[in-house]
């Protein structure tokens, strides 16, 4: 995906109303034209409404009920579950952990993705060498979460490869319990998530880099800008739209990361890696409190809607 | 060129739709009384058994019961519970389902299981042949088909190397042996304790088992009894002592049952409490490992009957099944003396039918020994049938970890667990 | 400093950085590859050995000789390819509307498209399952394909809208002047020059569909309908894991995606791009 800063807006769009004439035929044509975008959007809307909005509305309904799913006749309890959740200490621990996990992951994904993309885009290295490294760099992306969790559990075991390498090279004296010590567990799962997620940024940014016209750089070079200045003055502003979109999506996705955490630490040790996702899962499938679990999900939804609103508004402003 | 693109995309889309149209999956059998009945049997056993062993039993059942077909639906163990809950909520649960004792109470509350007492009655089934039934409110909901008991496994070579002459029989000997084994090498430990909270069954198999082995209980009149329970507290301090002494393998707090077995198989742990289901696995993977099984050591001076934890492959019938009578035929088939013995033979489990005697119990020295321990003690699992049993284990686990990490006292851990358990019991 | 020397030093620095990065990215995968040729017990040997001490193809033959497991792969390919093609088709239409038209509720629609992805899937599981049963899509390919389309569409729409926004409007105006409709402008002009964007979004879409586990498990029940992630999970038993088979299954699973990536990467790396078109 490539983006440039050329201001392209919908203001002069094909569908914009033309000077109206009073004739009914023309008015009909106007109405038809106004419907055109909806025509294009119909398949999307049908899918999203039927398969996403309906279940979400059902979840919102559950969040207002007690004994939902587990009993035949659930009762309406209003916002009780929301109050329970918002006053529960473990919820806020989960929020804090999730923010750390997500924030660090998104920033690291971006930095690593950008660094790798820049290295793979440099003119200093031959095309074939770049192709080899590109292939290696994309590897973490190719595996299902379950296998990523299992692989890293093996590597980070007290008797695993990572500890072996560290002790053999005398970087640490004894084996570190990466995933099972309360001091390191959150960092360890965050690290795994960073490893698994950066290729998404890397490939998108790499594509974005191709889209920056070469003459921008040539002009800058003529002006005497050094590499760092070219990077901050051209590369970053040019990539900004992609970066913002990806960071927003990555943020939303990472807050939901469940399988990776569940299969590596299960939210432990001592609750240090408890995330909103594991917290919600336990409510639903271990305590069978689907009402409370739904309330927790709706809270996440509302926060994301606020984020999405600001994102869309910022985009509008940029246009 | 462009047209080609479009045509290509259109063709692929059309092919996708066409293929999806004609390959719908298995549909539910019609409810008519005439034609053949197809039972769905959802379980996690098939992938755990030797290839085709469960299917061949089903073939036998089909030939004995013309007009009934069985479709095996196998899922991963870790996700079975969610699938049953979702299926029950939508009224599409499989007719016959594999169950774990820890789930029964919750499924009964959800109304997803059929009352087996009624089904046994209408089928004139002889209950006396059953080794156990999981009852709630006076009715049976689950029947254990195969039982996996958890004795103590001992790495004979490591104990010998550590100078431990006899297999420990009480806690003092055990702690001493564990400390001695730990000293034999940089990567060896005396004992291994999986406490992962995603699958907190370590609390049942590796912690509470010590309580049960000394005749203790975590319940009183079916209610949580943790505060003021000296047997539970003694077990906790006993484990904490070994934890502080460094006799327990590293990584406990996120270790799973499968990891525990790997540590033992690779000769890095002297002793573990584990399912007999693993005996063959350990043998296959490390032919040179010399190991034996023994009863779980008891508190010093205890001489009563020893409880030994067990996990079951249980079976139940779905409440939404349209063919409950046929479904129960399958249950009674699996519980029958010979079939039960065959199944348990392939699973290396102890039978749910009292008269069934699987061959391996006599042919294999380790299983023979285990069977003797099993018969001398009592199979105990207090979590079976409790409400939100998995959550009980988890909340205890969390408090226990805090205690081991030195963040709270044993009494605080017990008090916190007690209040969590009471909330779960009343909820 | 001499220009040539500086270039050489820069080259060496970049190469070193590339190698360090490759170790970070590739070592865990290399370990996975080596484990797939090991016996289960050798995976846990201490000290760990990168070269399998008793190399074996046991794990691979176990997969290839089991028709059920081969079927997992076929299902995954079919579902992922269908999802990719259909998602791109639907997303292109929606992105075109969002990029080129002004209409009421556009902003609301944008917010909805972004935030529907924010509900934790695990809480959607039960209502979603009921819905799929109601629609008669349980245990069918369309059930899974439509589900994954819902997961991938938001991303695809957002990215394709951004992509179309970079394409100059004069392009579609020209079509209009020639008397063509907006439909013609989309398919004759915009889509053909958007191939790099389509490929990039397509690869991502494919990945999501290929790796999804929870809904694949819940919405199917017979072995004929299961996908690779379920196959991998089935190797994680109640009591023990088939470590080497899990590793070999995921290695086998990733090879075709890697080939796909290698084949398509020329489209979005140094290929035809929006920037090039503009100049």
């Amino acid at each position: 995906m490539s983006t440039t800063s050329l201001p392209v807006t919908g203001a002069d769009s094909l569908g914009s109303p033309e000077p109206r004439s009073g004739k009914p035929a023309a008015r009909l044509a106007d109405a038809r034209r106004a419907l055109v975008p909806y025509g294009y959007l119909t398949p999307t809307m049908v899918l999203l409404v039927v398969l996403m909005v309906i279940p979400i509305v059902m979840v919102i309904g559950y969040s207002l009920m007690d004994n939902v799913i587990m009993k035949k006749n659930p009762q309406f309890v209003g916002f009780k579950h929301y109050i329970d959740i918002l006053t529960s200490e473990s919820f806020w621990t989960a929020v804090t952990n999730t923010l750390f996990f997500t924030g660090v992951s998104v920033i690291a994904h971006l930095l690593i993705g950008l660094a790798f993309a820049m290295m793979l885009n440099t003119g200093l290295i031959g095309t074939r060498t770049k192709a080899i490294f590109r292939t290696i760099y994309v590897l973490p992306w190719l595996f299902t979460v379950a296998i990523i969790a299992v692989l890293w559990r093996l590597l980070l075991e007290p008797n695993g490869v990572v500890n072996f390498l560290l002790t053999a090279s005398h970087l640490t004296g004894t084996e570190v319990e990466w995933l099972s010590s309360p001091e390191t567990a959150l960092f360890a799962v965050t690290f795994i998530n960073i490893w698994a997620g950066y290729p998404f940024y890397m490939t998108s940014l790499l594509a974005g880099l191709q889209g920056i016209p070469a003459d921008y750089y040539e002009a800058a070079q003529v002006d005497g800008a050094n590499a760092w200045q070219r990077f901050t003055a051209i590369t970053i502003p040019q990539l900004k739209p992609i970066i913002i979109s990806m960071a927003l999506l990555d943020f939303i996705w990472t807050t939901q990361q469940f399988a990776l955490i569940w299969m590596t630490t299960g939210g432990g040790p001592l609750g240090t890696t408890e995330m909103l996702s594991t917290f919600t899962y336990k409510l639903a499938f271990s305590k069978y409190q689907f009402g409370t679990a739904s309330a927790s999900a709706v809270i996440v939804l509302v926060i994301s809607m606020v984020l999405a609103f600001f994102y869309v508004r910022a985009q509008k402003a940029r246009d | 060129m462009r047209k080609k693109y479009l045509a290509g995309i259109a063709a692929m889309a059309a092919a996708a739709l066409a293929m999806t149209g004609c390959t719908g999956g298995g549909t539910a059998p019609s409810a008519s009384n005439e034609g053949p009945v197809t039972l769905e049997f959802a379980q996690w056993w098939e992938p755990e058994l030797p290839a085709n062993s469960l299917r061949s039993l089903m073939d036998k059942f089909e030939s004995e019961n013309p007009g009934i077909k069985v479709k095996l639906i196998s899922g991963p163990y870790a996700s079975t519970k969610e699938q049953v809950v979702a299926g029950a909520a939508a009224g599409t649960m499989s007719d016959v389902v594999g169950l774990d004792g820890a789930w029964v109470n919750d499924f009964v509350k959800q109304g997803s299981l059929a009352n087996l007492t009624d089904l046994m009655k209408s089928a004139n089934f002889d209950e006396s042949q059953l080794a156990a039934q999981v009852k709630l409110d006076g009715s049976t909901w689950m029947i254990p088909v195969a039982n996996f008991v958890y004795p103590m496994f001992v790495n004979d070579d490591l104990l010998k190397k550590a100078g431990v002459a006899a297999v420990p029989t009480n806690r003092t000997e055990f702690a001493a042996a564990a400390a001695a084994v730990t000293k034999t090498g940089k990567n060896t430990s005396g004992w291994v304790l999986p406490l992962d909270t995603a699958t907190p069954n370590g609390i049942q198999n590796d912690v509470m088992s010590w309580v049960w082995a000394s005749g203790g209980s975590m319940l009183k009149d079916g209610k949580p009894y943790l505060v003021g329970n000296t047997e539970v507290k003694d077990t906790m301090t006993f484990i904490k002592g070994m934890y502080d002494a460094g006799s327990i393998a590293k990584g406990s707090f996120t270790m799973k049952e499968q990891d525990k077995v790997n540590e033992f198989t690779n000769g890095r742990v002297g002793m573990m409490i584990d399912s007999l289901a693993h005996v063959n696995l350990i043998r296959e993977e490390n032919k040179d490992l010399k190991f034996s099984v023994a009863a779980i050591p008891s508190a010093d001076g205890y001489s009563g009957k020893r409880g030994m934890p067990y996990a079951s492959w249980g079976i139940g019938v779905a409440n939404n099944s349209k063919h409950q009578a046929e479904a129960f035929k399958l249950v009674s088939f699996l519980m029958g003396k010979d079939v039960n013995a065959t199944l348990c033979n392939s699973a290396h489990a102890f039978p749910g039918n009292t008269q069934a005697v699987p061959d391996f119990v006599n042919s294999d020295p380790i299983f023979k020994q285990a069977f003797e321990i099993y018969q001398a003690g009592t199979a105990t699992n207090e979590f079976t049938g409790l409400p939100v049993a998995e959550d009980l284990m988890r909340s205890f686990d969390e408090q226990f970890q805090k205690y081991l990490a030195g963040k709270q006292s044993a009494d605080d851990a017990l008090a916190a667990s007690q209040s969590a358990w009471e909330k779960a019991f009343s909820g | 400093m001499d220009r040539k020397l500086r270039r050489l030093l820069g080259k060496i620095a970049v190469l070193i950085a590339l190698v360090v990065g490759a170790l970070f990215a590739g070592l865990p995968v290399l370990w996975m590859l080596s484990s797939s040729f090991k016996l289960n017990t050798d995976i846990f040997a201490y000290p760990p050995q990168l070269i399998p001490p008793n190399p074996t193809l046991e794990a691979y033959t176990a997969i290839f000789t089991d028709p059920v497991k081969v079927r997992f792969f076929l299902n995954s390919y079919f579902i992922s390819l269908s999802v990719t093609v259909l998602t791109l088709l639907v997303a292109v239409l929606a992105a075109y509307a969002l990029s080129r038209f002004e209409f009421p509720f556009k902003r609301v629609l944008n917010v909805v498209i972004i935030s529907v992805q924010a509900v934790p899937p695990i809480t959607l599981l039960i209502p979603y399952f009921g819905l799929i049963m109601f629609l008669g899509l349980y245990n069918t390919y369309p059930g899974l394909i439509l589900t994954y389309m819902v997961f991938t569409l938001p991303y695809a729409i957002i990215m394709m809208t951004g992509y179309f926004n970079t394409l100059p409007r004069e392009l579609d105006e020209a079509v209009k002047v020639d008397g063509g409709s907006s439909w013609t402008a989309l398919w004759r002009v915009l889509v053909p020059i958007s191939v790099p964007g389509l490929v990039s979004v397509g690869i991502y879409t494919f990945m999501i569909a290929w790796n999804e586990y929870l809904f694949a498990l819940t919405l199917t029940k017979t072995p004929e309908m299961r996908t690779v992630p379920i196959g991998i999970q089935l190797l994680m038993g109640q009591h023990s894991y088939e470590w080497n088979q899990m590793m070999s299954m995921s290695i086998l699973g990733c090879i075709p995606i890697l080939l796909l990536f290698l084949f398509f990467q020329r489209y979005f790396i140094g290929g035809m791009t929006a920037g090039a078109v503009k100049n």
Side-chain angles (χ1 to χ4, degrees):
Chain A
M1 253 139 306
S2 128
T3 312
T4 70
S5 61
L6 266 193
V8 188
T9 64
D12 57 340
S13 73
L14 289 176
S16 66
E18 283 157 27
R20 276 161 207 269
S21 59
K23 287 183 195 146
R27 230 184 283 145
L28 196 70
D30 272 357
R32 276 230 317 259
R33 200 167 300 144
L35 284 177
V36 167
Y38 296 106
Y40 285 120
L41 283 164
T42 305
T44 303
M45 295 209 290
V46 168
L47 266 174
L48 287 187
V49 167
V50 173
L51 291 180
M52 214 57 185
V53 176
I54 292 180
I56 287 177
V57 169
M58 286 166 81
V59 167
I60 296 174
Y62 290 166
S63 73
L64 304 172
M65 311 272 235
D66 218 354
N67 285 327
V68 65
I69 291 171
M70 296 307 284
K71 293 264 171 71
K72 291 267 173 318
N73 44 353
Q75 307 97 37
F76 181 81
V77 291
F79 289 96
K80 176 177 172 291
H81 295 313
Y82 289 90
I83 297 166
D84 286 352
I85 289 269
L86 291 172
T87 54
S88 126
E89 201 185 314
S90 29
F91 173 76
W92 291 106
T93 317
V95 169
T96 320
N97 290 339
T98 309
L99 283 179
F100 175 88
F101 176 71
T102 310
V104 173
S105 293
V106 171
I107 292 170
H109 280 161
L110 176 62
L111 292 181
I112 296 177
L114 187 61
F116 283 5
M118 294 296 294
M119 292 197 298
L120 292 177
N121 198 45
T122 167
L124 294 168
I125 310 288
T127 348
R128 193 150 305 163
T129 323
K130 279 198 280 195
I132 293 170
F133 281 109
R134 206 156 49 214
T135 314
I136 297 175
Y137 284 177
V138 85
L139 284 175
W141 207 20
L142 306 181
F143 302 99
T144 183
V145 186
I147 208 75
I148 291 174
V150 164
L151 176 66
W152 279 97
R153 271 183 76 97
L154 280 178
L155 294 173
L156 293 176
E157 257 197 330
N159 288 320
V161 181
V162 171
N163 274 327
F164 172 76
L165 292 177
L166 288 178
T167 45
S169 56
H170 298 286
L171 284 172
T172 52
T174 54
E175 287 86 15
V176 182
E177 301 172 281
W178 296 106
L179 288 167
S180 34
S181 143
E183 282 81 37
T184 53
L186 185 57
F187 296 99
V189 289
T190 311
F191 179 84
I192 301 173
N193 191 55
I194 292 170
W195 181 82
Y198 76 83
F200 164 59
Y201 282 79
M202 188 189 79
T203 48
S204 303
L205 290 172
L206 204 46
L209 284 172
Q210 313 303 316
I212 304 176
D215 44 2
Y216 285 23
Y217 289 109
E218 281 155 22
Q221 211 145 16
V222 170
D223 292 346
N226 65 25
W228 176 251
Q229 285 165 333
R230 291 198 299 271
F231 177 71
T232 51
I234 301 172
T235 312
I236 292 294
Q238 291 287 310
L239 292 178
K240 208 172 140 199
I242 313 184
I243 290 178
I244 292 177
S245 307
M246 283 194 307
L248 175 85
L249 290 169
D250 191 28
F251 186 88
I252 290 180
W253 293 335
T254 310
T255 52
Q256 331 228 315
Q257 182 54 274
F258 167 73
L260 182 69
I261 311 218
W262 191 246
M263 296 181 72
T264 48
T265 62
L270 310 188
T272 45
T273 60
E274 184 85 298
M275 306 283 161
L276 281 172
S277 56
T278 51
F279 174 79
T280 311
Y281 173 83
K282 285 179 192 169
L283 280 177
F285 287 102
S286 187
K287 294 183 195 286
Y288 302 106
Q289 294 170 356
F290 288 95
T292 326
S294 302
S296 157
V298 174
I299 292 172
V300 177
L301 173 68
V302 170
I303 297 170
S304 306
M305 285 188 95
V306 172
L307 266 177
F309 173 76
F310 281 115
Y311 167 76
V312 171
R313 215 172 63 169
Q315 265 199 330
K316 274 278 139 65
R318 210 183 57 233
D319 291 346
Chain B
M1 175 67 196
R2 274 171 212 154
K3 267 195 186 139
K4 238 184 181 171
Y5 260 124
L6 289 183
I9 290 175
M12 270 186 94
L17 289 175
M19 210 170 147
T20 52
C22 59
T23 35
T27 40
S30 66
S32 72
N33 297 327
E34 297 303 310
V37 167
T38 302
L39 292 176
E40 282 182 7
F41 180 15
Q43 32 64 43
W44 67 94
W45 313 344
E46 194 186 16
E48 315 236 347
L49 287 166
N52 283 324
S53 57
L54 190 59
R55 185 64 246 174
S56 64
L57 283 180
M58 294 303 112
D59 293 342
K60 188 167 180 241
F61 173 76
E62 286 174 0
S63 67
E64 284 175 18
N65 297 276
I68 309 181
K69 294 259 170 265
V70 182
K71 192 174 208 170
L72 288 176
I73 303 207
S74 309
Y77 170 71
S79 311
T80 310
K81 199 176 58 167
E82 287 111 77
Q83 303 306 313
V84 174
V85 175
T92 58
M93 219 167 120
S94 292
D95 303 275
V96 183
V97 280
L99 296 170
D100 187 300
W103 310 334
V104 172
N105 188 300
D106 310 316
F107 292 162
V108 170
K109 264 197 201 139
Q110 196 191 13
S112 44
L113 293 179
N115 187 326
L116 291 182
T117 306
D118 298 345
L119 289 176
M120 283 192 277
K121 241 177 240 152
S122 46
N124 285 322
F125 183 79
D126 174 20
E127 285 183 54
S128 66
Q129 57 184 309
L130 297 180
Q133 307 181 34
V134 177
K135 294 190 179 218
L136 221 70
D137 308 325
S139 299
T140 299
W141 307 94
M142 171 187 123
I143 298 174
V145 178
N147 301 308
F148 300 93
V149 296
Y150 282 66
M152 177 173 71
F153 283 59
V154 179
N155 180 328
D156 298 333
D157 288 339
L158 266 184
L159 256 64
K160 201 188 280 170
K161 196 172 157 198
V164 179
V167 172
T169 58
N170 65 35
R171 290 182 189 173
T172 310
E173 291 171 18
F174 184 87
V181 171
T182 306
K183 277 200 203 95
T184 59
K186 188 168 156 283
N187 291 303
T188 47
S189 305
W191 189 42
V192 59
L193 173 64
L195 289 178
D196 182 60
T197 48
T199 42
N201 56 6
I203 291 301
Q204 165 189 296
N205 302 331
D206 306 82
V207 177
M208 285 301 172
S209 48
W210 291 94
V211 177
W212 302 329
S214 302
S217 168
M218 55 182 214
L219 303 171
K220 196 192 243 168
D221 308 324
K223 292 270 174 275
Y225 172 46
L226 296 174
V227 170
N229 186 330
T230 47
E231 276 136 355
V232 176
K233 193 179 165 185
D234 285 352
T235 301
M236 287 170 70
T237 45
F238 161 67
I239 293 175
K240 168 92 166 145
M242 286 192 289
Y243 185 82
D244 291 343
S247 308
I248 299 178
K250 282 193 166 184
S252 266
F253 289 0
T254 54
M255 188 183 278
K256 294 178 194 289
E257 183 170 332
Q258 295 86 353
D259 306 321
K260 167 174 85 176
V261 185
N262 286 324
E263 290 297 299
F264 187 85
T265 309
N266 282 275
R268 289 198 285 265
V269 194
M271 294 166 287
M272 70 167 174
I273 296 168
D274 192 34
S275 166
L276 274 186
H278 284 141
V279 169
N280 276 10
L281 182 86
I282 298 169
R283 281 183 184 149
E284 267 167 41
E285 302 209 334
N286 188 348
K287 292 176 186 70
D288 307 326
L289 191 78
K290 282 203 195 78
F291 67 100
S292 51
V293 298
I296 298 175
S298 62
D300 299 15
Y302 176 79
S303 57
K305 252 196 165 194
R306 292 183 190 194
M308 174 145 76
Y310 71 98
S312 306
W313 284 358
I315 198 166
V317 172
N319 211 4
N320 63 32
S321 167
K322 294 188 186 92
H323 312 291
Q324 292 194 351
E326 289 86 351
F328 189 74
K329 267 191 194 157
L330 179 60
V331 175
S332 48
F333 170 79
L334 286 172
M335 297 313 299
K337 192 178 150 212
D338 297 331
V339 174
N340 197 248
T342 314
L343 179 66
C344 291
N345 216 17
S346 354
H348 287 95
F350 290 154
N353 180 312
T354 46
Q355 289 134 38
V357 182
D359 303 335
F360 71 88
V361 168
N362 292 320
S363 60
D364 185 307
I366 286 197
F367 287 109
K368 198 171 178 206
Q369 199 177 355
F371 201 59
E372 279 158 18
I373 304 167
Y374 175 67
Q375 283 173 322
T378 41
T380 312
N381 188 340
E382 292 192 309
F383 284 103
T384 297
L386 292 191
V388 290
E390 191 195 85
D391 198 54
L392 300 180
M393 293 180 213
R394 181 173 297 123
S395 52
F396 188 90
D397 196 350
E398 286 164 359
Q399 299 305 328
F400 188 53
Q401 287 192 12
K402 264 194 205 166
Y403 166 63
L404 287 183
K407 310 247 171 189
Q408 66 178 0
S409 70
D411 288 320
D412 290 347
L414 286 169
S417 307
Q418 173 89 16
S419 81
W421 282 24
E422 276 170 3
K423 222 164 143 194
F425 270 68
S426 66
Chain C
M1 219 189 307
D2 180 22
R3 211 187 143 94
K4 251 187 181 166
L5 183 66
R6 252 171 67 181
R7 225 182 131 72
L8 185 70
L9 283 180
K11 194 173 169 175
I12 292 172
V14 171
L15 267 179
I16 291 175
L18 278 171
V19 170
V20 171
L23 291 177
F24 166 74
L27 267 189
V29 180
L30 191 63
W31 182 255
M32 183 191 288
L33 183 69
S34 128
S35 297
S36 72
F37 292 106
K38 284 181 183 170
L39 296 170
N40 255 331
T41 179
D42 289 335
I43 294 177
F44 295 91
Y46 194 91
Q49 281 158 308
L50 189 59
I51 311 289
N54 309 297
T56 166
L57 285 173
E58 173 196 279
Y60 288 92
T61 41
I63 289 169
F64 281 123
T65 52
D66 186 345
V68 177
K69 284 175 183 148
V70 174
R71 176 80 191 221
F72 293 160
F73 282 93
L74 296 180
N75 284 339
S76 277
Y77 290 130
F78 174 67
I79 290 171
S80 308
L81 279 176
S82 311
V83 171
T84 309
V85 171
L86 293 172
T87 297
L88 288 178
L89 209 61
V90 175
V92 159
L93 296 178
Y96 185 56
L98 291 171
S99 165
R100 292 298 199 255
F101 294 87
E102 273 309 310
F103 52 91
F105 302 117
K106 189 170 160 180
R107 199 188 284 197
V108 176
L109 197 69
N110 256 319
V111 171
V112 169
I113 288 175
I114 296 172
S115 50
V116 282
Q117 330 169 59
V119 183
I122 191 83
T123 46
L124 281 180
L125 192 65
I126 286 184
Y128 198 87
F129 180 69
L131 185 69
I132 288 289
M133 296 293 312
F134 174 78
L135 296 173
L137 294 175
Y138 180 52
N139 205 36
T140 64
Y141 287 123
L144 273 187
I145 292 171
L146 292 173
T147 302
Y148 293 161
M149 283 179 70
V150 174
F151 292 165
T152 54
L153 263 178
Y155 167 82
I157 293 174
I158 291 167
M159 285 314 195
M160 285 317 294
T161 309
Y163 198 85
F164 283 156
N165 278 343
T166 68
L167 301 178
R169 223 154 268 275
E170 296 77 44
L171 287 174
D172 14 353
E173 292 294 348
V175 176
K176 253 196 102 190
V177 170
D178 294 346
S181 64
S182 62
W183 180 260
T184 326
L186 171 63
W187 292 108
R188 287 282 166 80
V189 179
L190 291 188
V191 168
I193 56 174
S194 304
V195 171
L198 287 170
V199 167
S200 169
V201 173
I203 287 186
Y204 164 81
T205 306
F206 188 92
M207 258 15 153
I208 293 283
W210 179 270
N211 282 333
E212 205 282 335
Y213 163 70
L214 184 65
F215 282 77
L217 177 67
T218 311
L219 303 181
T220 64
K221 65 176 169 185
T222 54
E224 307 89 72
M225 297 298 298
R226 303 289 209 194
T227 57
V228 171
I230 302 177
I232 291 176
Q233 206 95 10
L234 277 170
L235 297 167
M236 304 182 187
Q238 181 185 12
H239 298 293
S240 62
Y241 289 177
E242 298 284 350
W243 301 92
N244 53 5
Q245 273 196 54
M246 272 156 50
M247 301 297 173
S248 60
M249 207 168 197
S250 56
I251 292 285
L252 286 176
C254 91
I255 290 172
I257 317 180
L258 204 59
L259 292 177
L260 212 68
F261 177 80
L262 288 175
F263 177 73
F264 277 115
Q265 66 178 348
R266 67 194 171 95
Y267 281 105
F268 67 103
I269 293 163
M272 196 163 35
T273 66
V277 169
K278 213 175 306 157
N279 293 332

